[in-house]
Amino acid sequence: MSELDSLKNRALDQLGACSDESSLRNWNSQYFGKNGEMLAALKKVSELPPESRKEYGQQANIVKEQLSASYETALKNCLEQAMLKSLETEKLDISLPGMVPPAGKLHLATQTLRDIQSTFAEMGFQVFRSREIEDDEFNFVLLNMPPHHPARDMWDTFHTTDPGLILRTHTSPGQIHVMRKFHPAPIRVILPGMCYRYEAITTRSEIMFHQVEGLVVGTNVSMTDLIGTITAFTRKMFGDSRQVRIRSSYFPFTEPSIEVDMDCIVCGGKGCPLCKKTGWLEIMGAGMVHPEVMKNGGYDPAKYSGFAFGMGPERIAMLRHAIEDIREFWGNDLRFLSQF
Amino acid sequence: MKVPIRWLKDYVDFDLSLEALVNRLALAGLEVSGIKHWGVPAPEGLRLGTEDPYPVWDKDKIIIGLVTKVDKHPDADRLKLPTVEYGLGRSITMVTGAPNLAVGDTGQKIILALSGSVLFDGHATPKVLKELKPGKIRGITSDGMVCSGFELGISEDHDGIIILDDDAPVGMPLVDYFGDSIIELDILPNKARCLSMIGVAREVAAMTGGKLKSFEHKPNSFGPAITGKVNVVIQDTSACHRYTASLIENIKVAPSPAFLKRRLHQAGMRPINNIVDITNYVMLEQGQPLHAFDYDVLCSRAKGKTPEIVIRFATKGEKIKTLDGLDREISAETLVIADALGPIAIAGLMGGAETEVTESTSRVMLESANFDFLAIRKAMKSMALPSEAATRFSKGIHPDQVIGGANRALQLMQEFAHGLPAEGRIDCYPFPKPLQVIDFSLAEAKRILGIAIPIEECTKLLTSLEFKVEKVSNEMLRVTAPTHRLDIQVGVADLLEDIARLYGYDKFPETSLSEQLPPVLIDPELDFERKIKDTLVHLGLQETIAYSLTSPEAEAAFLESSKPAYVTLLNPISSERTVMRQSMMASIVSLTQANLKHTECVKLFEVGKVYQKVSGQTLPVEPYKLAIAICGPRNKPFWVEDSSGKNNLNFFDLKGIVEGLASGVHLEKVSFQPGNHPALHPGKSATLLIRDKVAGMFGVLHPKLASTLGLDNHEIIAAEFDLLTLASGLPVRYLSKPVSRFPAALRDIAVVVDQSITGQTVTAEIQAAGGNVLKVARLFDIYQGDRVPAGTKSLAFALSYQADDRTLNDKEVDKLHKKIEDRLKHVLKAQIRGKEV
């Protein structure tokens, strides 16, 4: 038996005895490593007399190919066996809790504001923001409430030590700002922002809250448009089967003024604790912009008309998520905020 | 405004269930905020206001009775045995302890409850409903009870039984006699006229098509004329529009009849005596406040002259003792009713004690006046004296109302106080209010309302509210407002409101806006804010919204001493919220601290405003800021891996958030410098620069501050940045980089440099030497300690070489790597650590 044959037989025997991946890898480096026996055998060709070289070389290469192929097959089989074995043994208790990647959330108020904004955006409303610290003129006078007007009692106001400077009690001063900026162009905006009221903080009332005011001004804007717009909004926000009820109301800056109710989202109008058994939930105040306010904004009320509405995102969120206590909003407890 | 339904029905007939009435009123702008029932069952589906149980008066068992005799209880001094007839020849004797029924009494009309009645237990607090059972009291059988208001559930009065008026019909079930529901209406400022039964009745009439009954009453006989008996002078006609004085003589002051007391009580007022009660009754009925003065006191004050009533503003330091017995100093902007000796009443607010009606009064001067709402509002505020009268005056009353009110009071005083009114009245009305006449165009109505309501319908609706309507053309009505309406201003807007609400909003169609779309409104800050919030949320932070009201103390440590002036509240609700905040870092640290009480890892941000006064400017500025705070373990403990090595969030986590934010919104020219902020650790804080402008600071909370705040066990890392400065880093557009299709060669390098050399410097040098082909140089280890010389540190970087146009061969990479090593050695005097790394 030639030296090559015995090398081959020995190698194949040894290969056959390999039972796992690591012994296979060892075998491989024993024969094919830097100083491996197979390479040594191949190199030997240079030591032979020239006439034997060709045959030896051919033989050696054949042996090399055979060994190499056998190794690849054995390795492949071994890995496959190992995998099959692992499929049987590696069983997870899939009932154990998963690892939730740490996530952040937007504040519930922001989420609600965005919902409102995108709903109105689809109806062509753009966002206009204005200041929170206002003067009496913009918060009251230009909105048809001269000093001592009885309607001022509707808003408990935070005054500042600067006479006439107050924290806005509603987003309505934005109506004047936006009208003065854009007149005589048509207007279709919502005015979201923080408002302040001098009130005791309770489960139902806060000193600070968001409001989203809407304002539409043009030469062709009417009460039926207002009703159509807020009905569309209500159905988009609360479901397309919602019923809307309009009540007469009063705001000094709109005339006629209305209050908008929708049928209770819990009981559908039968009466339940959420709607205090009335079947209705109040969602916003609205009305046709008062001619005085139109004038103060720079629009001629004989030619232009407009409507305005206002709602509280926190209140809407409370309705949607059955939140009992408005103080949760600025309490910023992660256990509350992370739910939304 | 509390409205008993029976009282309302004195003025208008309507056939509506209580539930329907409440609903209709709400739709018309008169919201019912509460209901109280007197003995009647609450209608199904309407439980407004009265969730508490109350007695429902059984028709067969709670009955009006007549006391025929009252005998002594044989065995108890304080108990009596009244015998009561209650119709159809029935009679019953029972035991009572009522103090207002005496042995020997006869003829009183009382309320009898027979066994089986369910009433409040007179001896139990809190209130409990209890069925009346037959029993023996000290040996005497008692199968019934004479009732007090408490037991019936209509008052808190235990002490005596209710004595009814003489004309109460014996045998009538009580629920038929005065069982009632009292609705409480929220009156909006434009419906001040509904602060009266008649005002509400007018609305109900218009709403239901019912007819308003006449409520004009006059005395049926008069005594000698008032002429020469009193003079009236209005000094300030802008504050007092009208003042009338009537005189009524020969009156007998006594308690009011039961029905009158009952109605006052239902409406929430306390009965006093017949004269005062009548003035209040008329105010509740008609909305016109009245005041009765003892005329004889006025005469004695006038010392033989004719009393002269002057309506004027108080002079400085004037005082008055008011009806409630308090001595009050009258502020100068307060209108008073005065005579020669001084103020006798605070106009519209409260009468004076000296001239009040007492048991001995026999002549009354009745004031029915109209004061300006503004004057009364100011007085109410400065005197801190709210009253039913002042509330009505402060919301505005039409001056025409004074006559009806005075007439009604005189008639009632004649009927219930034996008075004889003097013929005529003193009526001082210098500038009669003109009628409000409005031309109402149907086209205008259509333009605003969006629907065409026919001219006949408009006429009908307006007429139902007592507007006078004249048809000018098929397109135009001339409308005159009734003289009880002050809210109708020039223009059609107010008329439209009345028409729309009576027509019914449920009949309005829903239309889509057909007005053209406005020009595009661009608010880059709003878009930026949205991106910032979204990016931070993706980076794992929770958005918060803190109170923007705080106190200077709460944020002092977070602000430079040279901070701008505060916007300070004049009327704060608490000492913790006295100013508008200037530091968002302070509020977010405080929120973090609050959350650490229950949550291990807290990562918060807020985008909000701070408020700063600017000298020379009336309005403060309200810049938007971004605040961030993080604290706690970096990873949540989890069952899979060992979570023993709790790595806490540190400076570099926050820096990473800032970097993540900057790359997330594509800010340009972002750099960092060592920070200096009073609230932050001087060695562990940084300044963020955008285009070389300071955008804000971030870092570890200063240990001293942390300790003051009680945060010794937590290291909070906080930030505050100016939003507008951040936004200045936004490029107009940002460019993409092509992705190389050729493989990258990875090598590590570890260098030992002097400790003073920053990581940023080393990275910059590596990058400079590596050029375009060096795609990534990522720091992955820092070492300081025994294995490197003192005063040095070792930095290890993972480098990734990659060409855009070919596969790099080993030689090229080796050469470049060597170049980097050489540069570091040369420029930074760095030592390259063992090549085996």
Side-chain angles (χ1 to χ4, degrees), chain B residues 543-561:
Chain B
E543 189 197 4
T544 57
I545 302 175
Y547 281 106
S548 33
L549 300 98
T550 183
S551 70
E553 299 75 38
E555 53 177 36
F558 291 84
L559 293 166
E560 307 282 352
S561 48

Side-chain angles (χ1 to χ4, degrees), chain A residues 126 131-132 196 206 225 301 332, chain B residues 447 511 521 547-548 611 620:
Chain A
Q126 304 180 77
R131 53 183 314 113
E132 292 173 17
Y196 301 87
E206 254 294 355
D225 292 342
N332 290 292
Chain B
R447 181 173 78 96
T511 54
L521 207 163
Y547 281 106
S548 33
Y611 311 81

Side-chain angles (χ1 to χ4, degrees), chain A residues 96-100 102-107 109-110 114 117 124 126-127 129-133 147-151 153-154 157-162 165 167 182 185-189 194 196 198-199 201 206-208 210 216 218-225 227-229 231 235 245-250 255-258 277 282 288 291 301-305 307 329-335 337-338, chain B residues 23 26-29 31 45 47-48 51 188-191 373-374 377-378 394-395 444 446-451 493-494 496-497 500-501 505 508-521 523 525-526 529-530 533-534 537 540-549 567-573 577 580 591 595 598-599 601-605 609 611 613 618-622 624 636 638-639:
Chain A
L96 292 171
M99 170 78 182
V100 183
K105 300 274 183 75
L106 287 171
H107 193 285
T110 303
R114 286 192 179 183
Q117 283 172 18
Q126 304 180 77
V127 173
R129 302 193 293 180
S130 63
R131 53 183 314 113
E132 292 173 17
I133 299 168
H148 301 286
H149 191 283
D153 294 350
M154 294 165 80
T157 309
F158 275 119
H159 298 273
T160 74
T161 48
D162 296 68
L165 211 61
L167 309 192
F182 290 104
I187 291 174
R188 195 182 297 191
V189 293
M194 201 60 96
Y196 301 87
Y198 175 73
E199 275 179 26
I201 300 177
E206 254 294 355
I207 52 168
M208 181 174 112
H210 284 104
V216 177
T219 51
N220 183 21
V221 180
S222 73
M223 176 63 87
T224 57
D225 292 342
I227 295 174
T229 303
T231 304
R235 296 197 172 137
R245 176 176 85 159
I246 309 290
R247 283 183 286 126
S248 174
S249 190
Y250 171 76
E255 188 83 38
S257 301
I258 58 173
K277 301 207 172 177
E282 196 175 304
M288 300 304 294
K303 195 173 156 206
Y304 293 90
S305 56
F307 67 69
F329 283 87
W330 319 141
N332 290 292
D333 189 316
L334 282 168
R335 293 168 298 180
L337 295 180
S338 62
Chain B
N23 192 38
L27 293 178
E31 201 170 351
R47 302 219 179 273
L48 264 171
E51 290 292 331
L188 294 164
N190 70 332
K191 294 227 168 47
F373 76 93
L374 258 180
R377 282 177 74 80
K378 284 185 198 160
S394 73
K395 293 174 193 296
E444 184 66 359
K446 165 86 169 54
R447 181 173 78 96
I448 303 295
L449 296 180
I451 50 168
D494 296 304
L496 286 178
E497 167 140 299
R501 72 192 175 93
Y505 283 108
F508 277 59
E510 294 157 18
T511 54
S512 303
L513 279 165
S514 50
E515 176 65 47
Q516 60 168 313
L517 280 170
V520 170
L521 207 163
D523 186 347
E525 245 188 293
L526 184 68
E529 186 187 314
R530 172 181 280 261
K533 285 184 180 177
D534 286 342
V537 163
L541 277 72
Q542 168 68 50
E543 189 197 4
T544 57
I545 302 175
Y547 281 106
S548 33
L549 300 98
V567 175
T568 306
L569 297 184
L570 191 64
N571 54 339
I573 52 154
R577 312 226 178 274
M580 298 303 278
L591 290 182
N595 272 296
H598 48 74
T599 304
C601 177
V602 179
K603 297 195 271 180
L604 309 178
F605 79 95
K609 286 177 169 182
Y611 311 81
K613 282 219 246 185
T618 353
L619 292 167
V621 290
E622 303 175 359
Y624 280 97
K636 279 196 276 186
F638 190 56
W639 59 267

Side-chain angles (χ1 to χ4, degrees), chain B residues 100 147-151 154-162 265:
Chain B
N100 54 342
C147 301
S148 70
F150 181 87
E151 287 144 357
I154 60 176
S155 79
E156 301 306 310
D157 191 1
H158 287 265
D159 292 341
I161 57 161
I162 293 180
H265 176 59

Side-chain angles (χ1 to χ4, degrees), chain B residues 312-325:
Chain B
R312 60 167 171 83
F313 280 106
T315 56
K316 202 168 186 287
E318 266 187 314
K319 288 196 175 103
I320 188 171
K321 183 185 222 148
T322 42
L323 282 175
D324 52 8

